[in-house]
Amino acid sequence: MKSHIRILLLLLAVYISICFSLAVADIIRVPEDYNTISKAISQALLGDTIHVAEGEFSGDLKITSWISLIGAGKDKTIIKGSVEINSPTSISFQNVTITKGLRCIDSSPSIKNLSITGGYNGYGIYARNSGFELDNFTITNCGQGIRLETGSIQKIHNGTISNLSSDHQNYSYGIYVDNLSSSLSITNVTLTNLQGSAIYVEASDKDIDIDFTDVTINDCKYGGIKCDGRSKENTNCRINNVTTTSCDGVIRGSGYSNVNIDNVTMTDGGSHGINCSGTSNTGDILNINKVTITDGGAYGIYCRRIKTAKVRNSVIGRNANPGIYFKESETGDFGTADDPGNNQIFRNRQFLVQSDAKVTAIGNWWGMISVPKGLFTNNVVYEPYLKAPPGESGAEEVLTTCLKGDVNGDQLIKSIDASLALRIAAQLIEEPTEAQKCGADMNEDGLVKSIDASLDASLILRQAAGLNQVVGAPPLI
């Protein structure tokens, strides 16, 4: 009994001490009160706030208690060193520039108005077992941007990550979040000039929502956005209003209950535009709306082992492989009689839609008035289809359309078209229209010249004869 009383008295003393500290929490100013930030930290009490004036302050810093640090502005207060936060309580850290990176261990800081111009062991921000919020930040000239290993970060908002030098497909990221135990919002973030990948988020628990909104990614060597739900229950990855340029494997989602992609533009990617792979055909549901995927190095949309994919109001064209590839999955819904797809899918290689599962793709524009059946695998229902591009696709870009082989614009492919192609190549038609050049350029090398005119003409003749496959040259749709 006496021991219990002693414990209660001890806890009461600690509580009184904390309350007293809060009651007398003070503001410490650097350099007015102390000439260095580290000295101010060593003298601060629980709950104190350190205000740092404009200027440069050298030395590494470590915050291990409930102390907030606020600079005069992220471009005005320069900490020439690294900062480590290892505090079990929530603190405020804002309005500074750090030249050697920020490290958060077992802490939950609120970080605002931060600029990082160099890394801590290569990382702009490295966090472990932490849950922080990041708002209004710039990270540049590091090996990697942000890396969180196990934690509950809630938001990464209003920032720029650029000029990262670490080069590894699986380990170098602008933002890397592993073993996430809370929902996360990444909003209004731009990532530019990355030697590795852009964003990777892996959920470790069920009932987690991952939201990407207003994200721009330019010039990353490998993947753009990758979500991994670890096949947990009720995990949702939502991607909205995202633009990516020159990224390999632009958007990837796997192991989530639901993946929603809306109002996204992806151009000049080295691999698939959207790559969604599940663990079975009973879990993942993929919804795609108002997406433009052009000039990719592989498939426009690649789906494997998912329950279903729904695609509406999208443009998928000029990709190196088929526009949509649907494999080992249950059903594909790219348009129905009651809910037409309103998609523009054309000028991809080999097939417009390739699938080993049942797919309905009704009410889409396939790039030509008369669509050969050979552009689809047998289990794709693609009729009835649109005879012209939809008036409002909702997608970012409407591709320039022409019927390949139709040089005279009568919507038919005949021998006269081959003759016109040869005349254009020989410059006997002085100013051919863009539509004529587009129709004549069957091998889509951007040229109609004498060196390739015979190939273009032969392709037109084969198309007129109903022969779509050309040995040695993939068909162009």
Side-chain angles (χ1 to χ4, degrees):
M1 183 65 180
K2 290 182 178 180
S3 62
H4 290 168
I5 292 173
R6 290 193 186 96
I7 292 173
L8 289 173
L9 290 173
L10 179 60
L11 291 174
L12 180 61
V14 171
Y15 175 76
I16 292 172
S17 174
I18 292 174
C19 290
F20 179 77
S21 297
L22 289 174
V24 297
D26 202 357
I27 294 178
I28 299 174
R29 302 184 185 279
V30 176
E32 291 87 346
D33 298 324
Y34 299 98
N35 61 354
T36 67
I37 301 175
S38 58
K39 183 66 173 179
I41 292 173
S42 68
Q43 297 300 312
L45 301 176
L46 290 176
D48 283 353
T49 298
I50 300 172
H51 281 255
V52 184
E54 181 176 350
E56 295 185 355
F57 300 85
S58 298
D60 298 333
L61 304 178
K62 187 172 184 180
I63 300 174
T64 59
S65 60
W66 188 6
I67 299 170
S68 293
L69 191 148
I70 301 174
K74 69 176 183 179
D75 298 323
K76 295 180 179 180
T77 300
I78 315 297
I79 299 174
K80 302 186 72 173
S82 64
V83 175
E84 178 176 331
I85 299 175
N86 189 344
S87 173
T89 55
S90 178
I91 71 168
S92 178
F93 187 84
Q94 56 186 283
N95 299 343
V96 299
T97 290
I98 305 172
T99 64
K100 293 184 180 179
L102 172 64
R103 190 177 188 212
C104 301
I105 307 297
D106 301 315
S107 58
S108 301
S110 174
I111 304 170
K112 297 180 181 180
N113 304 324
L114 175 70
S115 177
I116 296 177
T117 60
Y120 183 102
N121 290 334
Y123 301 107
I125 297 177
Y126 174 85
R128 187 176 69 241
N129 299 324
S130 297
F132 61 88
E133 296 183 352
L134 180 61
D135 188 16
N136 191 13
F137 66 93
T138 301
I139 299 174
T140 187
N141 298 326
C142 301
Q144 300 186 49
I146 300 169
R147 185 179 184 93
L148 171 66
E149 297 178 354
T150 307
S152 58
I153 181 172
Q154 282 87 35
K155 69 178 185 179
I156 300 174
H157 287 185
N158 306 314
T160 301
I161 300 174
S162 62
N163 301 329
L164 304 185
S165 60
S166 185
D167 178 1
H168 196 288
Q169 183 171 3
N170 297 319
Y171 301 105
S172 301
Y173 288 89
I175 299 173
Y176 180 94
V177 180
D178 183 30
N179 206 20
L180 179 69
S181 59
S182 69
S183 293
L184 168 62
S185 167
I186 298 177
T187 301
N188 194 25
V189 173
T190 298
L191 301 98
T192 304
N193 191 20
L194 314 180
Q195 292 302 307
S197 299
I199 302 174
Y200 174 89
V201 178
E202 181 183 88
S204 66
D205 207 347
K206 62 181 181 179
D207 301 322
I208 288 179
D209 295 331
I210 312 298
D211 289 281
F212 302 90
T213 305
D214 298 329
V215 175
T216 301
I217 304 170
N218 296 317
D219 299 319
C220 63
K221 188 173 182 180
Y222 299 113
I225 295 176
K226 182 177 181 181
C227 295
D228 189 346
R230 286 192 178 179
S231 302
K232 300 294 183 179
E233 297 178 14
N234 194 29
T235 51
N236 301 289
C237 179
R238 294 186 286 261
I239 301 171
N240 180 59
N241 199 22
V242 171
T243 301
T244 69
T245 305
S246 301
C247 289
D248 185 2
V250 180
I251 288 180
R252 307 179 68 182
S254 60
Y256 276 82
S257 304
N258 297 281
V259 177
N260 295 290
I261 303 175
D262 186 75
N263 194 25
V264 172
T265 300
M266 295 170 279
T267 60
D268 195 25
S271 187
H272 313 312
I274 294 174
N275 177 355
C276 188
S277 300
T279 55
S280 68
N281 63 356
T282 59
D284 295 52
I285 297 174
L286 174 64
N287 292 289
I288 298 172
N289 185 50
K290 295 184 180 179
V291 166
T292 296
I293 304 171
T294 59
D295 301 305
Y299 299 94
I301 299 174
Y302 177 96
C303 298
R304 185 180 182 188
R305 292 196 298 268
I306 67 173
K307 184 175 182 178
T308 187
K310 181 177 180 179
V311 183
R312 294 292 188 275
N313 307 311
S314 296
V315 173
I316 304 169
R318 295 197 303 259
N319 296 293
N321 283 1
I324 298 178
Y325 183 68
F326 203 62
K327 184 177 182 182
E328 299 175 31
S329 301
E330 190 172 314
T331 59
D333 174 9
F334 311 142
T336 65
D338 295 331
D339 183 18
N342 206 35
N343 301 299
Q344 302 180 53
I345 306 173
F346 58 99
R347 296 180 70 185
N348 302 286
R349 299 274 178 178
Q350 193 175 8
F351 293 104
L352 292 172
V353 179
Q354 181 180 6
S355 174
D356 61 6
K358 182 179 179 181
V359 168
T360 57
I362 295 172
N364 299 300
W365 164 246
W366 303 112
M368 58 190 75
I369 292 178
S370 179
V371 182
K373 186 177 180 180
L375 302 181
F376 307 86
T377 48
N378 291 330
N379 44 5
V380 177
V381 179
Y382 66 95
E383 296 178 298
Y385 51 82
L386 300 179
K387 301 299 184 179
E392 294 182 6
S393 71
E396 178 76 13
E397 176 184 355
V398 177
L399 301 179
T400 301
T401 63
C402 70
L403 177 58
K404 288 297 180 182
D406 175 26
V407 184
N408 65 357
D410 63 358
Q411 300 300 316
L412 299 174
I413 302 174
K414 298 181 294 185
S415 58
I416 184 63
D417 295 299
S419 175
L420 286 172
L422 290 170
R423 287 173 60 83
I424 292 172
Q427 299 183 357
L428 298 177
I429 299 177
E430 293 185 1
E431 296 183 0
T433 66
E434 290 299 319
Q436 287 175 327
K437 290 188 288 185
C438 179
D441 182 20
M442 286 292 289
N443 67 343
E444 204 170 10
D445 60 358
L447 305 170
V448 184
K449 299 168 61 178
S450 57
I451 192 171
D452 64 357
S454 59
L455 176 58
D456 287 324
S458 67
L459 286 171
I460 292 173
L461 290 172
R462 292 180 64 87
Q463 185 85 344
L467 302 174
N468 296 304
Q469 301 296 327
V470 180
V471 177
L476 297 163
I477 297 112

